[in-house]
Amino acid sequence: MERAMKRKAPDSREEACVLCRRADSAPDIYGEKRQQDGLCAHENCLHLASGLPVRRPNDMGADEFLPADIRRAVKRATRKVCYVCGERGATVTCWQKGCKRSFHFPCGREDGCVSQFFGQYRSFCREHRPEQTVQAQQDGETSCLICLEPVEEKLSHHTMVCPACTHAWFHRGCIQQQALRSGLFSFQCPQCKDSKKFLPEMSSLGIRVPIRQPAWEADGAFAELYQRHNRCDASQCLCAGGRGQAEAAGPWYLLLCSSCAARGTHRRCSALRATAATWECDGCAGLGTASSAQLETASSSNTSQPASSPSCTAPVSSSQAGQTGPEQRPSCSRLRRHPRNPYSRP
């Protein structure tokens, strides 16, 4: 038996999985390969093998399978024949009550069997696999919402529909690829964005939704969005440590523009108070205009100057200089005319 467990697939340098006897390395289909105690097995084959218990989660949060349990599962499978390929070693058994069909996970997948990658990791043969029961009608020729290729005229194992909106049609393979990229927390209908109904139904129909963050975040595509601006952009930086120097408080504390956060300044480089908490760059406040913090600085300096206002008194001729009372000319504030509102009544 030990030789059979380490058997390699023909024309392959990779060690074969002891449960499905294939050396394929396709994580999207089989999951990652695990090597332990001289045994090699696909992650999905381990979860779906009938009677193989999960003992404990490991330090990385993944399920743990003991080598002794794997060997017992392989020994039991030697008495079962795969109904698809006809060879012994079938480790997956249909969960339908009364059905005794067994199969290798890859064979069952190719034959249209359905495996559920959650809970008890149940599998069903082609005859007893779950089917969609939602009522949905197509409006003429319908295309897959993901690949834009035509889909079948009605629901089938390969053609699926969103149970929430019943308008988004797609191929099984297409929605499976989207599930692998989206992960558990971002997987939703590509049209109506529903996940409450969409996620449970797709999972029960055999769509594997991994518990991980979306691929577009894992790839670092949006890493720049999480970076904080960290330099002084004042026309003349006064900090001895340079534009990249920033302290936790005081004049060399780096303030970011309160509107765009794309530009920054040391408090002293923009003549701000040592306790100023907000600042706005010229691009957001308007070139040549002062920010809220700068206005506070300017107003505090102006309070020390005496208030003065220009005289609005009209010049008085020598003949009128000695006159008093009603004969005096009115002040310019009364002579000033304001433009008439065109929408006011005459």
Side-chain angles (χ1 to χ4, degrees), residues 19-300:
L19 299 172
C20 71
R21 301 185 178 183
R22 296 195 186 187
D24 304 58
S25 294
D28 290 350
I29 299 175
Y30 305 102
E32 299 292 340
K33 272 188 175 181
R34 294 191 183 183
Q35 300 275 354
Q36 184 179 5
D37 197 23
L39 299 175
C40 175
H42 294 121
E43 186 178 13
N44 291 346
C45 293
L46 289 169
H47 280 114
L48 298 171
S50 301
L52 181 57
V54 179
R55 294 298 182 180
R56 61 185 183 276
N58 61 24
D59 297 338
M60 301 299 294
D63 294 332
E64 184 75 15
F65 300 90
L66 299 182
D69 293 335
I70 298 175
R71 290 189 172 92
R72 280 192 287 269
V74 172
K75 185 176 180 179
R76 286 194 303 268
T78 58
R79 300 189 294 268
K80 297 181 180 180
V81 178
C82 176
Y83 88 93
V84 180
C85 68
E87 294 186 6
R88 291 185 177 275
T91 58
V92 185
T93 301
C94 178
W95 271 66
Q96 181 65 33
K97 188 176 181 179
C99 182
K100 297 182 179 181
R101 286 182 172 180
S102 297
F103 48 91
H104 303 105
F105 166 63
C107 295
R109 180 179 178 277
E110 294 166 1
D111 191 56
C113 299
V114 167
S115 296
Q116 299 173 342
F117 299 90
F118 65 93
Q120 295 178 299
Y121 285 84
R122 304 184 303 173
S123 294
F124 300 89
C125 67
R126 179 170 184 161
E127 183 179 346
H128 300 116
R129 69 192 180 194
E131 303 282 355
Q132 277 197 289
T133 58
V134 62
Q135 299 296 323
Q137 298 291 333
Q138 296 183 2
D139 296 331
E141 185 176 352
T142 305
S143 300
C144 171
L145 200 63
I146 300 173
C147 72
L148 305 181
E149 294 293 330
V151 296
E152 299 178 50
E153 297 180 356
K154 59 181 181 180
L155 291 171
S156 68
H157 178 68
H158 298 287
T159 298
M160 312 172 77
V161 69
C162 172
C165 65
T166 68
H167 295 300
W169 293 76
F170 32 78
H171 300 113
R172 171 179 287 271
C174 294
I175 200 65
Q176 176 62 82
Q177 288 300 315
Q178 177 168 318
L180 293 174
R181 287 191 55 80
S182 300
L184 180 65
F185 306 107
S186 297
F187 185 51
Q188 58 188 3
C189 171
Q191 178 164 307
C192 70
K193 310 303 180 185
D194 174 83
S195 61
K196 188 175 182 179
K197 291 183 178 179
F198 187 76
L199 176 59
E201 176 138 343
M202 294 297 107
S203 299
S204 65
L205 294 172
I207 300 301
R208 184 168 71 93
V209 187
I211 305 176
R212 64 187 182 204
Q213 62 180 336
W216 52 84
E217 292 188 4
D219 295 342
F222 299 98
E224 294 182 358
L225 297 180
Y226 299 103
Q227 293 181 359
R228 185 179 185 272
H229 191 74
N230 57 0
R231 69 186 304 272
C232 175
D233 297 299
S235 57
Q236 182 179 3
C237 181
L238 305 176
C239 182
R243 295 184 179 272
Q245 177 73 23
E247 296 182 359
W252 307 122
Y253 179 84
L254 188 67
L255 288 173
L256 297 186
C257 175
S258 58
S259 295
C260 68
R263 298 185 69 81
T265 182
H266 294 117
R267 286 168 173 160
R268 179 164 296 179
C269 297
S270 292
L272 303 177
R273 293 181 302 173
T275 58
T278 59
W279 169 78
E280 207 169 17
C281 68
D282 286 340
C284 295
L287 188 62
T289 61
S291 66
S292 56
Q294 289 171 324
L295 286 174
E296 293 177 3
T297 306
S299 61
S300 61

